[in-house]
Amino acid sequence: MKFILPIFTLLSILLATACGGGADVPEPVVADNADVGATIQSDSWEVTLLDQPIKDYVIDGPDGGVRIESDRELTSLTAEGVWIIVPIQLKNIGEEEAMLFQKTITVADDQGRTYEIGDRHVHHAQIWEAAPDRWGDRENQLIQNVQDAEAVREGPALFDVAEDATGLRLVLNGSSDTISLGFD
């Protein structure tokens, strides 16, 4: 766990400095008041916040620059609102293999809105390609992927939230607890 913060800090620096080409895109913002290290559990899953989330308007592109919009066929990676990149550890605490679905982990805001985790095939692939030392490769998928009992994975949970969202909290279906993501 000691290496996570320095690597995530390096990713934050890359996020802040890799934007080029004169695009008028706001700089990424790292939360400074998230409840890092907090864990929530349901009957099947345990989720731990590993580091401060990042708020950004674009996700990295195919040339390895972390703040360049993708020109992939499937979709552009520009958020409708703003991306919240949440570094989590996910553990299957059930007694058998299970699959995590998009509605299992969500983000809620003080305005009463909820946001599902982003599509794994497009958004997450960009994160893995740009920062493999931090997130590993596509085999480290969190959602819609079978995970053995007691298996642990670390990865980015990506949420497209409204720009005016405040009081962001990570919510795990089946748990009454939440984790503060900051950005109050």
Side-chain angles (χ1 to χ4, degrees):
M1 292 282 280
K2 291 181 181 179
F3 71 94
I4 291 173
L5 184 58
I7 291 173
F8 198 71
T9 302
L10 177 61
L11 177 59
S12 299
I13 292 167
L14 288 172
L15 282 166
T17 60
C19 185
D24 287 334
V25 177
E27 291 297 313
V29 176
V30 178
D32 61 2
N33 56 348
D35 198 3
V36 174
T39 298
I40 52 179
Q41 290 184 348
S42 67
D43 290 340
S44 302
W45 301 103
E46 178 181 273
V47 178
T48 302
L49 181 62
L50 295 176
D51 206 338
Q52 299 291 342
I54 293 176
K55 182 185 284 190
D56 202 354
Y57 287 81
V58 293
I59 301 296
D60 45 29
D63 63 354
V66 254
R67 297 206 66 240
I68 300 170
E69 291 184 54
S70 174
D71 59 0
R72 289 179 179 258
E73 270 182 48
L74 295 174
T75 186
S76 169
L77 298 181
T78 302
E80 289 180 23
V82 61
W83 292 110
I84 303 295
I85 305 169
V86 183
I88 62 171
Q89 180 183 70
L90 175 68
K91 182 176 183 180
N92 177 356
I93 59 174
E95 295 182 12
E96 56 189 45
E97 64 183 25
M99 185 178 293
L100 186 82
F101 296 101
Q102 284 180 282
K103 292 184 180 188
T104 305
I105 299 174
T106 58
V107 166
D109 65 22
D110 284 347
Q111 292 82 5
R113 298 172 291 201
T114 59
Y115 310 93
E116 292 179 13
I117 201 166
D119 179 278
R120 69 184 170 116
H121 296 296
V122 180
H123 311 307
H124 290 173
Q126 298 296 322
I127 292 286
W128 290 316
E129 288 175 8
D133 291 341
R134 171 64 179 106
W135 300 115
D137 59 28
R138 294 178 197 202
E139 297 301 315
N140 201 32
Q141 296 174 3
L142 299 175
I143 62 170
Q144 296 175 343
N145 200 32
V146 174
Q147 192 166 326
D148 293 331
E150 298 299 313
V152 175
R153 292 192 181 163
E154 292 181 6
L158 305 176
F159 301 90
D160 184 354
V161 305
E163 289 189 58
D164 65 348
T166 57
L168 299 177
R169 301 173 313 283
L170 193 66
V171 177
L172 176 63
N173 190 9
S175 175
S176 59
D177 297 325
T178 62
I179 298 174
S180 172
L181 299 179
F183 304 114
D184 295 331

